Amino acid sequence: MTRPPMTRQTTSPPRRALAPTAVLLGAAGWLAFVALTLADLAWDWPGLVSLVVLGASWFACRTVIGDIAERRADEVDEYELGQRNAARNAGYVAALGSLGVLYVLATVALRLDDRGHPELLGQLPPLVFAALLLAAATPSFLLAWQLRRRSADPDDEGEL
């Protein structure tokens, strides 16, 4: 039994209009969580609200892009595969950047702790969590931000 070839699902214009909004809300939620962590309010209600905003926007982005990250390579066309690989590379860069910033923060926190200022050291666990969220959500946010509708006719050259 052979499987029929997969056709690319086009995203409707209202869902495409949701993509930039979801990405911007997710970025705002992440930045708010980091700022609240530095203010020692990460697990109070404002920090939890920022995590809910980030989670909801991440879910919205994954819905808008059609979870192309979850599909097997033979189920996506070349255009989607290129987008997915670019988003994966961006996620890798975000993960490396987050780890570099965390290394510097941990070093500074340990130096400050040696000098009698342990405040930043206590804030490292939520900052590590924020870095993990950044690395995990970046590919979905990037794919949603770059969402383009491709013509259904393969002979057409235009990508919107």
Side-chain angles (χ1 to χ4, degrees), residues 38 95-113 120-121 124 127-128 131:
L38 293 175
L96 284 180
S98 297
L99 286 174
V101 168
L102 283 175
Y103 175 76
V104 170
L105 279 176
T107 303
V108 169
L110 289 171
R111 301 284 180 189
L112 287 174
D113 187 44
L120 186 60
L121 190 61
L124 278 180
L127 288 173
V128 169

Side-chain angles (χ1 to χ4, degrees), residues 96-151:
L96 284 180
S98 297
L99 286 174
V101 168
L102 283 175
Y103 175 76
V104 170
L105 279 176
T107 303
V108 169
L110 289 171
R111 301 284 180 189
L112 287 174
D113 187 44
D114 288 343
R115 294 185 177 142
H117 301 286
E119 297 86 18
L120 186 60
L121 190 61
Q123 296 167 342
L124 278 180
L127 288 173
V128 169
F129 183 63
L132 173 70
L133 288 175
L134 176 68
T138 297
S140 295
F141 287 156
L142 183 64
L143 284 173
W145 187 259
Q146 295 178 345
L147 186 65
R148 297 182 189 133
R149 184 175 181 188
R150 201 171 74 173
S151 171

